[in-house]
Amino acid sequence: MVRINENYLRLAPNYLFSEIAKRAKEFQAANPGAQLMRLGIGNTTEPLAPAVVRGLHEGVDRLARAETYTGYGDEQGDAALRERIAQVKYRDNRVDISPDEVFISDGAKPDTGNIQTIFAADAVVALQDPAYPVYVDTNVIAGRGGKLGEDGLFEDFVYMPCTEENGFIPDVPPRRPDLIYLCSPNNPTGAVASREQLARFVDYALTHDAVILFDAAYAPFIREPDLPRSIYEVPDARRCAIELNTFSKEAGFTGVRLGWTVVPKNMAVDAKNPRSLNELWNRRTTTFFNGASNVVQVGGLAALTPEGQAQNAAVIDLYLRNAATIREGLRAIGLTVYGGTNAPYVWVKCPDGLTSWQFFDKLLHEAHVITTPGAGFGPHGEGFLRLSAFGHPKDIARAVQSIEEKVKL
Ligand code: PLP
């Protein structure tokens, strides 16, 4: 008999979004006249910027002519796009990253899942809790989680709880891990790490020979100039950190698919096998991946022109105004809210000791608004809801108004 990878059996049931859909459906069936409004989903809603659309068209047109047609490209990505990312995202910001340290992907989720494969099967993993579920699940599948405890925590992971007390940015891990996942601006809490907080993690990683896996998917939402948009803004981070990034939120590429991963060349980790991680990731990429779509990479180049960047920044401003609408509306009725100033997520404390699912149900039943229970992102998310600022402004305003007018606190 063929045996399966039994680590899949260890995964916590992934019922968050299916349970939300089920509850919404049941409510709708019982209340056919009610119009449901959504503040739950982390998916972009605004159309692509005109400069990007032109880039994508150009990508298609190139394929339509024999003189400009291209088939397979470099697995690591188009040289011009790697160069532009290194320039626009790093060097323009006085951060030293070269194009051959930038690997183009079809989005941050696949690379976030795949990056752990270059490390030892028994590497110890530290995670923020609550967290984007990919960090947890991919390491459970790789066999690094151990047993799932009654408390919803895997016994072999080192957890870094994100709580009201620490402003949802945890301190360095309580015991030494090999790998440290960090996400800033954070999904789901909307918290953003300061330069000093990141520097503490970089110091810790260098002192304890650990590697940081830094997810910067929401960096374009940072508007305060002093907050770091890349971990490489911390001196020496390039000796201990890999950065995962995406065009999904920056340019509305959630469905288009394009991202990048930075693996600096001078990171050598294993004393017995002193191989560079950049070489290993290159080997992994060329073996498992055949490159991002050539059409989409032309779109990515267009997104990083001054015109594309200005147009995309205007869309992010719109989402940030939505976030402000949510924050102000909920504060006005006495709720405690966090996040949403340099991030598209608002983290709302459930009132009166309600659990995440109880408050979710209350907002659904009283205001007809769908949100996301914080407990779905990990045990320390219990007692909170994640509200998303992705949506058309008038839909967001309508949902917030409904909460303000109808929810009895
Ligand atoms: N990282 C975080 C923290 C996310 O929230 C998401 C998507 O919601 C991703 C990565 C995935 O990005 P991509 O669309 O590039 O796969």
Side-chain angles (χ1 to χ4, degrees):
M1 284 289 261
V2 176
R3 293 179 52 230
I4 60 160
N5 175 352
E6 290 185 1
N7 292 322
Y8 276 82
L9 307 177
R10 291 180 181 260
L11 288 167
N14 180 7
Y15 73 102
L16 176 63
F17 288 100
S18 55
E19 180 65 21
I20 291 172
K22 178 170 154 268
R23 290 188 191 210
K25 204 167 147 208
E26 282 168 6
F27 176 78
Q28 190 74 83
N31 303 274
Q35 239 202 333
L36 292 182
M37 293 164 274
R38 288 170 202 280
L39 287 180
I41 298 178
N43 204 350
T44 48
T45 55
E46 301 309 297
L48 297 175
V52 173
V53 173
R54 272 204 312 278
L56 290 167
H57 282 172
E58 187 196 323
V60 173
D61 290 343
R62 283 188 202 172
L63 297 184
R65 293 188 299 269
E67 315 81 68
T68 48
Y69 173 83
T70 50
Y72 292 125
D74 294 339
E75 291 96 339
Q76 304 89 338
D78 174 56
L81 181 57
R82 298 175 85 191
E83 166 60 33
R84 191 162 302 169
I85 289 174
Q87 187 65 44
V88 170
K89 292 289 172 181
Y90 300 103
R91 283 192 237 126
D92 283 353
N93 219 0
R94 293 193 304 278
V95 171
D96 170 30
I97 293 294
S98 62
D100 52 0
E101 296 174 318
V102 176
F103 294 82
I104 308 299
S105 69
D106 54 353
K109 185 178 192 176
D111 270 13
T112 302
N114 292 326
I115 194 75
Q116 48 80 23
T117 60
I118 63 173
F119 298 100
D122 61 356
V124 176
V125 171
L127 307 145
Q128 289 168 281
D129 185 69
Y132 180 52
V134 177
Y135 321 136
V136 173
D137 288 354
T138 55
N139 280 290
V140 169
I141 289 169
R144 300 192 184 99
K147 280 210 208 78
L148 177 60
E150 299 264 298
D151 54 4
L153 300 173
F154 285 91
E155 64 184 16
D156 292 350
F157 289 150
V158 180
Y159 285 95
M160 301 180 290
C162 303
T163 62
E164 246 181 324
E165 291 70 39
N166 62 25
F168 306 100
I169 302 293
D171 198 5
V172 295
R175 66 185 167 91
R176 182 198 169 268
D178 296 292
L179 306 176
I180 304 171
Y181 285 82
L182 285 179
C183 175
S184 174
N186 191 266
N187 177 13
T189 67
V192 187
S194 69
R195 208 172 296 272
E196 294 69 35
Q197 284 166 323
L198 287 190
R200 208 167 135 67
F201 275 94
V202 168
D203 271 358
Y204 178 92
L206 290 172
T207 319
H208 294 80
D209 283 329
V211 168
I212 297 172
L213 302 167
F214 187 74
D215 185 339
Y218 296 98
F221 286 79
I222 295 179
R223 287 288 181 267
E224 281 172 56
D226 287 343
L227 291 172
R229 291 162 173 241
S230 161
I231 189 142
Y232 303 119
E233 289 180 37
V234 175
D236 284 340
R238 51 168 296 129
R239 292 201 284 123
C240 65
I242 288 173
E243 185 163 287
L244 301 138
N245 222 316
T246 179
F247 285 80
S248 281
K249 314 294 159 129
E250 158 148 26
F253 273 30
T254 39
V256 178
R257 311 304 304 148
L258 190 67
W260 73 94
T261 297
V262 178
V263 187
K265 277 187 295 200
N266 55 346
M267 286 176 72
V269 287
D270 185 333
K272 262 204 310 204
N273 306 291
R275 295 282 300 275
S276 120
L277 289 185
N278 179 282
E279 257 175 66
L280 278 185
W281 184 245
N282 191 53
R283 187 72 169 87
R284 197 262 165 216
T285 301
T286 53
T287 302
F288 284 78
F289 189 50
N290 238 343
S293 150
N294 43 13
V295 173
V296 169
Q297 292 190 78
V298 184
L301 269 170
L304 297 183
T305 57
E307 190 191 6
Q309 286 185 290
Q311 291 171 354
N312 283 324
V315 176
I316 291 176
D317 284 343
L318 174 149
Y319 292 133
L320 285 168
R321 283 196 297 277
N322 286 344
T325 304
I326 298 172
R327 280 166 57 86
E328 284 157 22
L330 271 56
R331 278 219 171 118
I333 57 167
L335 288 166
T336 304
V337 302
Y338 299 97
T341 48
N342 294 282
Y345 298 118
V346 178
W347 193 235
V348 184
K349 188 172 180 178
C350 303
D352 309 322
L354 294 182
T355 66
S356 292
W357 281 107
Q358 286 168 338
F359 195 38
F360 168 90
D361 281 335
K362 187 174 169 66
L363 293 182
L364 174 61
H365 287 256
E366 293 177 12
H368 306 170
V369 173
I370 301 174
T371 57
T372 309
F377 297 95
H380 293 94
E382 181 55 277
F384 291 87
L385 291 183
R386 188 194 76 173
L387 270 52
S388 163
F390 292 111
H392 304 308
K394 68 173 176 356
D395 296 338
I396 299 276
R398 210 160 51 86
V400 171
Q401 190 184 1
S402 179
I403 295 175
E404 283 185 71
E405 289 174 1
K406 305 215 182 99
V407 175
K408 296 175 212 65
L409 292 171

